[in-house]
Amino acid sequence: MSSIRDPGSRPLTARGAATRARIVNAAADLIYERGVERTSLDDVMAESGVSKSQLYHYFADKDALVLEVIARQTERIFESQRPDLEALESLAALKAWRDGILRLNKATRGKGCPLGSLASELANDSEPARKRLADAFSLWRDRLEAGLAKMRDRGEIDASANPHDLALALLSALQGGLLLAKTSRSSRPLEAALDMAIDHIARRATARTGC
Amino acid sequence: MSSIRDPGSRPLTARGAATRARIVNAAADLIYERGVERTSLDDVMAESGVSKSQLYHYFADKDALVLEVIARQTERIFESQRPDLEALESLAALKAWRDGILRLNKATRGKGCPLGSLASELANDSEPARKRLADAFSLWRDRLEAGLAKMRDRGEIDASANPHDLALALLSALQGGLLLAKTSRSSRPLEAALDMAIDHIARRATARTGC
């Protein structure tokens, strides 16, 4: 997702790439904890052990760094949902993905989705960040949609099902469930939201084969 | 929701109540635009035309003001969803509520839910704010749940339906849909999320009376 290059577009050395990655990872962790507004470049330097001149060698300003944080968090989300997200070809696989999300929510102690938090903070303020976040959510929706399209093509869900809208609704339920779980310090809203979405998809199956 | 009183718990004069309300309304508007972190008390004074001594007469600090902003935004949400939210006794009423939400989303140009934004920004940082937000979402879920319970009792949805979980899932779909709509500058995620939730609830009806 994030192509590794320096501002002058020359390829980075291995050491340069490692330094750059250390900066982005530190910024991603701090921003996930505190939000963009309360994370300063000084905090990022202290956390990553990188000097000001090194940081400015790789990033023109905080906005440029934040765009890379969005890319990094998107990668992390896809990594954390591997292999489930790539193998979403059946209702059973969809339920395995749901279980993985709930485990992850527990492991992060319900801190919410890093992309959702970035979107909430930045979508009305920064047009480049909003676009990057919209692209990240589109990619996520694409993965879900591809799985739902396979289920439809294999006849597991009804031929009239719209994988695009179902994926959009599933991702919305996930985001809203994570937000309410974070606020209530309970996984129940997340479970209720995902179970509704998956039950809704499953009923498209039983409506065809049942009754 | 927010009882009107001064810090010493003496009743406010009409003029005092009006000043206090002007401060809270200005803070609510600014925070909806910019977020809590980027809204200073100086901004609130400038926006409301209130002096520093007046502001500190009513609010000990920014945290105290933010708690009142949460209460005010909760009131605004219930006001904006009146009468639909109070009359959620049928699937037709639920669809009217959905249409109202979509109109409101259009009117605010997809800026998202003020409570959702506050929850995303504050739930990990401020325990008093998190609790206040959790209570606000519980109240909202209660209203939806009361409507769904009436539909179940009247036989419009299946007796096995769980109004609590359905309401939690519906509110999650709404919050996630608003977040994705704000990020993508499109109402489609919100429509997909609400339509899934309502279709899910409606199918609980047709499953009983259909087939």
Side-chain angles (χ1 to χ4, degrees), chain A:
Chain A
M1 177 152 318
S2 64
S3 61
I4 293 180
R5 59 190 185 280
D6 74 2
S9 287
R10 284 159 300 169
L12 292 182
T13 61
R15 194 170 157 188
T19 303
R20 191 179 185 284
R22 202 159 78 239
I23 297 167
V24 175
N25 284 330
D29 292 343
L30 290 171
I31 287 172
Y32 187 35
E33 281 294 329
R34 310 174 185 176
V36 173
E37 191 62 25
R38 294 203 296 157
T39 301
S40 69
L41 289 182
D42 284 339
D43 296 333
V44 175
M45 286 174 225
E47 179 79 9
S48 60
V50 155
S51 72
K52 188 173 235 171
S53 69
Q54 279 179 299
L55 193 142
Y56 281 102
H57 175 71
Y58 297 105
F59 302 99
D61 53 24
K62 187 176 169 185
D63 289 349
L65 177 56
V66 167
L67 292 182
E68 286 307 306
V69 165
I70 294 169
R72 182 73 194 101
Q73 291 292 27
T74 309
E75 287 170 349
R76 283 181 177 177
I77 283 170
F78 288 133
E79 281 162 19
S80 72
Q81 292 178 25
R82 190 167 293 146
D84 295 331
L85 193 56
E86 284 156 5
L88 273 191
E89 299 182 7
S90 64
L91 286 168
L94 197 59
K95 285 173 188 164
W97 171 78
R98 165 218 181 266
D99 293 345
I101 298 271
L102 285 169
R103 275 196 305 274
L104 194 64
N105 184 60
K106 203 172 170 184
T108 59
R109 281 178 290 177
K111 276 203 314 196
C113 173
L115 282 182
S117 303
L118 284 160
S120 182
E121 185 173 0
L122 300 175
N124 291 334
D125 297 327
S126 160
E127 191 56 14
R130 183 195 71 74
K131 281 186 180 152
R132 188 70 73 101
L133 286 158
D135 288 346
F137 283 128
S138 288
L139 202 61
W140 200 348
R141 194 255 312 129
D142 273 346
R143 301 278 179 100
L144 295 170
E145 182 176 341
L148 292 163
K150 278 185 200 155
M151 289 179 221
R152 185 195 56 188
D153 296 345
R154 288 171 47 213
E156 202 177 359
I157 60 174
D158 199 87
S160 70
N162 179 332
H164 181 89
D165 284 350
L166 285 177
L168 212 44
L170 180 55
L171 186 57
S172 297
L174 170 58
Q175 286 297 321
L178 285 167
L179 178 66
L180 293 191
K182 162 173 149 168
T183 311
S184 65
R185 294 265 191 275
S186 158
S187 62
R188 197 161 174 196
L190 180 59
E191 286 178 53
L194 288 176
D195 288 349
M196 173 187 71
I198 292 173
D199 189 42
H200 180 72
I201 293 164
R203 273 166 189 264
R204 301 211 66 115
T206 51
R208 205 177 69 95
T209 56
C211 306

Side-chain angles (χ1 to χ4, degrees), chain B residues 43-79:
Chain B
D43 297 333
V44 175
M45 286 175 228
E47 179 79 9
S48 60
V50 154
S51 71
K52 188 174 238 172
S53 68
Q54 280 179 300
L55 193 143
Y56 281 103
H57 175 72
Y58 297 105
F59 302 99
D61 52 25
K62 187 176 169 185
D63 289 349
L65 177 56
V66 167
L67 292 182
E68 286 307 304
V69 166
I70 295 169
R72 182 73 194 102
Q73 291 293 27
T74 309
E75 286 170 349
R76 283 181 178 175
I77 283 170
F78 289 132
E79 281 161 20

Side-chain angles (χ1 to χ4, degrees), chain B residues 16-60:
Chain B
T19 304
R20 192 179 184 283
R22 201 158 78 240
I23 298 167
V24 175
N25 284 330
D29 292 343
L30 290 170
I31 287 173
Y32 187 34
E33 282 294 328
R34 312 175 182 176
V36 173
E37 191 61 25
R38 293 203 297 155
T39 301
S40 69
L41 289 183
D42 283 340
D43 297 333
V44 175
M45 286 175 228
E47 179 79 9
S48 60
V50 154
S51 71
K52 188 174 238 172
S53 68
Q54 280 179 300
L55 193 143
Y56 281 103
H57 175 72
Y58 297 105
F59 302 99

Side-chain angles (χ1 to χ4, degrees), chain B residues 87-160:
Chain B
L88 274 191
E89 299 182 4
S90 64
L91 286 167
L94 196 59
K95 284 171 189 164
W97 172 77
R98 165 217 182 265
D99 293 345
I101 297 272
L102 285 168
R103 276 196 305 276
L104 194 63
N105 184 59
K106 202 172 170 186
T108 60
R109 282 178 289 179
K111 277 203 314 195
C113 173
L115 283 182
S117 304
L118 284 161
S120 182
E121 184 174 0
L122 300 176
N124 292 334
D125 296 329
S126 160
E127 191 55 14
R130 183 196 70 73
K131 281 187 181 153
R132 189 70 73 100
L133 287 158
D135 287 346
F137 283 128
S138 287
L139 202 60
W140 201 347
R141 192 256 311 130
D142 272 347
R143 301 276 179 101
L144 296 169
E145 183 177 340
L148 292 164
K150 277 184 201 155
M151 289 179 220
R152 185 195 56 188
D153 295 345
R154 287 171 47 214
E156 202 177 359
I157 59 175
D158 199 89
S160 70

